[in-house]
Each structure stands twice: as C-alpha cells, then as structure tokens.
C-alpha cells in the first residue's frame, strides 16, 4: 500500500509539471505571433535589416544588406534539434561593432546551412558543421528578447536538441 501511495504521488507530480509546459505547436505559434517581432532590428542608418522566420522544423535568420552594390539577403537555416540547448542565463552576449544599440545573443549550434541571394538568384550555399548563430536585437528590447530566446531553447529541447555542455 505504501508503494502504491508513493507511485501515485510521483505520478501526480510528473503530470502537474508537464501540464504547465507549452507544447511544440504552442511554442511555434507564440514565436510566430510575438517572439519574432522582438528579434527584428535595423542596423545604423537602415543599411541592414535583420529578422527571423519560424517553421515547424527550422529557424531561419535573415539579414537584408543594402550597404554595398546590389542588395543581398543572407540566410542561416538552423533545424531546431541542431541548436545546442542551454539555459538562457548562460547564453553569451556580444555587442555589434557597427552600431552600439544592436546587441547579439550567441547560440551554439551543430550543423546548419548558410546561403545568400542576390536579385532573386541563388549565390552560394554552405553547410556549416558547427558554429555560432548570432541573434541580433535592439538593446532596448533585451527583456523581451530573453523571452524569445527562452522559447527558442524550449523548442530546441522539445525537438531533441543536445545540451551545450561547456567544460572549463
């Protein structure tokens, strides 16, 4: 009887903890309706625009650059399970060299694709085995961006992402 009570209590705790966690579909919906707006930014002088696109399987980071010559879109496509999951408080931050009001979160990632398009034609396609993904944002929106980053990490975890285990 004692074992039965213990199993019942543990089951209730597990059910209660999972009941408050958002599903993958709910997290994607929140990112599409709220989160991606927090990660839309212009660089100084409106010469570059930065934004993200969200699908069920992929986070796409887009930089529209009109600083030199022909305007070009640069894309980084990262599958959710290729993000190296880590607690948001441990994600590194960086400052944009070009513009002081733009900051960056540095996310560690496994394999992802990068390519650029100029005037609608495919210019390059590179598979990156391991590297950093930079989420640019307006410094004034940092608290909102942390919520977005938390949702991205939650989605990565739900998609089977490995943990970013940092050794000293």
């Amino acid at each position: 009887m004692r074992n039965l009570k213990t199993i019942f209590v543990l089951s209730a705790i597990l059910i209660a903890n999972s009941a408050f966690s958002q599903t993958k579909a709910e997290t994607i919906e929140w990112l599409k309706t709220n989160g991606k707006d927090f990660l839309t930014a212009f660089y100084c002088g409106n010469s570059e625009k930065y934004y993200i696109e969200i699908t069920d399987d992929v986070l796409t980071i887009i930089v529209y650059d009109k600083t030199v010559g022909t305007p070009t879109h640069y894309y980084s496509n990262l599958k959710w399970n290729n993000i190296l999951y880590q607690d948001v408080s441990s994600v590194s931050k960086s400052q944009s060299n070009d513009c002081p009001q733009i900051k960056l979160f540095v996310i560690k990632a496994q394999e992802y694709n990068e390519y650029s398009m100029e005037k609608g034609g495919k210019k390059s396609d590179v598979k990156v085995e391991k590297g950093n993904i930079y989420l640019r944002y307006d410094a004034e929106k940092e608290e909102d961006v942390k919520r977005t980053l938390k949702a991205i990490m939650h989605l990565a975890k739900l998609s089977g992402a490995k943990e970013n285990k940092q050794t000293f």
Side-chain angles (χ1 to χ4, degrees), residues 143-165:
E143 288 308 310
D144 290 328
V145 174
K146 283 182 182 177
R147 290 175 55 211
T148 302
L149 183 57
K150 187 176 180 181
I152 287 170
M153 288 298 175
H154 178 70
L155 192 53
K157 192 173 188 178
L158 289 174
S159 299
K162 293 180 182 176
E163 189 171 342
N164 182 21
K165 295 185 179 183

Side-chain angles (χ1 to χ4, degrees), residues 38-91:
F38 299 137
L39 288 172
T40 298
F42 278 98
Y43 273 99
C44 294
N46 292 334
S47 58
E48 286 186 354
K49 181 180 181 186
Y50 169 84
Y51 51 102
I52 65 171
E53 292 296 329
I54 309 288
T55 66
D56 290 349
D57 299 326
V58 177
L59 169 66
T60 302
I61 299 164
I62 306 162
V63 177
Y64 176 68
D65 184 0
K66 57 181 181 178
T67 54
V68 216
T70 306
T72 304
H73 283 86
Y74 297 95
Y75 297 85
S76 296
N77 287 335
L78 174 63
K79 290 184 179 180
W80 296 113
N81 64 341
N82 284 337
I83 293 172
L84 292 174
Y85 173 83
Q86 66 188 83
D87 185 73
V88 172
S89 62
S90 67
V91 174

Side-chain angles (χ1 to χ4, degrees), residues 16-51:
N17 284 339
S18 65
F20 295 111
S21 181
Q22 286 189 324
T23 66
K24 185 174 179 178
E26 290 170 331
T27 305
I28 289 170
E29 184 61 31
W30 185 87
L31 282 167
K32 285 180 178 181
T33 57
N34 300 304
K36 74 181 203 172
D37 292 339
F38 299 137
L39 288 172
T40 298
F42 278 98
Y43 273 99
C44 294
N46 292 334
S47 58
E48 286 186 354
K49 181 180 181 186
Y50 169 84
Y51 51 102

